Amino acid sequence: MNIAFFLIPKKEVVYLNIYATMRQALERMEYHRYSAVPLLDDEGKYVTTLTEGDLLWMLKNTPDLHFHNTEKIRLTDLNYHRKNEPISIHAEMENIITRAMEQNFVPVTDDKGIFIGIIRRREIIEYCAAQLLGKKN
């Protein structure tokens, strides 16, 4: 089965520009109650995934950094502890199951590396469950 069936398109995904500020990221993630969001460059290409952990490590390891001055920190200044590799829109469902075990969502790109959406872990689990239940019947 092609993964396009499970794709949540970019227009429905919360994401940030890699040049956004730490404060913008904190506020957007809090508002949407997300623990991770994709980061895109100015051309719309997927760069990495920002996680709550990345933000917490920056707070912990930066002397005198408090919420009120996070608007001075760009997301490009953070160290990212995990690189969630995107998959091509042409990938097969079986190819992304292992990625979903390690991340909340899998970023999807087109042939030019442009971010076109995500596949959430939930849809992947539902697909796997349906396959297992179908084989038992």
Side-chain angles (χ1 to χ4, degrees), residues 16 19-26 70-75:
L16 289 163
Y19 300 107
T21 67
M22 190 173 171
R23 183 174 185 146
Q24 289 170 318
L26 287 163
T70 56
E71 73 274 356
K72 297 176 183 174
I73 307 291
R74 296 274 172 205
L75 297 180

Side-chain angles (χ1 to χ4, degrees), residues 1-8 93 118-120 123 127:
M1 173 171 284
N2 190 291
I3 65 166
F5 179 77
F6 301 97
L7 182 74
I8 298 170
M93 192 66 180
I118 63 171
I119 297 177
R120 294 182 302 197
E123 282 77 20
Y127 169 80

Side-chain angles (χ1 to χ4, degrees), residues 19-37:
Y19 300 107
T21 67
M22 190 173 171
R23 183 174 185 146
Q24 289 170 318
L26 287 163
E27 289 176 346
R28 182 163 295 171
M29 290 171 75
E30 177 187 30
Y31 178 80
H32 292 283
R33 298 189 187 274
Y34 289 150
S35 60
V37 295

Side-chain angles (χ1 to χ4, degrees), residues 84-111:
N84 292 348
E85 293 294 329
I87 60 166
S88 165
I89 188 63
H90 304 295
E92 293 296 322
M93 192 66 180
E94 293 77 17
N95 298 337
I96 66 168
I97 292 172
T98 54
R99 290 193 190 176
M101 292 185 326
E102 298 178 3
Q103 56 201 58
N104 295 337
F105 61 86
V106 178
V108 182
T109 59
D110 68 10
D111 293 336

Side-chain angles (χ1 to χ4, degrees), residues 12-18 20-41 45-55 75 78 80 82-84 103-107 115 117-118:
E12 297 175 23
V13 174
V14 175
Y15 59 89
L16 289 163
N17 185 284
I18 189 69
T21 67
M22 190 173 171
R23 183 174 185 146
Q24 289 170 318
L26 287 163
E27 289 176 346
R28 182 163 295 171
M29 290 171 75
E30 177 187 30
Y31 178 80
H32 292 283
R33 298 189 187 274
Y34 289 150
S35 60
V37 295
L39 297 181
L40 311 181
D41 68 13
K45 292 184 177 181
Y46 172 79
V47 177
T48 193
T49 296
L50 173 68
T51 67
E52 287 176 329
D54 298 325
L55 295 167
L75 297 180
L78 275 68
Y80 296 92
R82 183 180 294 206
K83 174 73 169 163
N84 292 348
Q103 56 201 58
N104 295 337
F105 61 86
V106 178
F115 177 78
I118 63 171

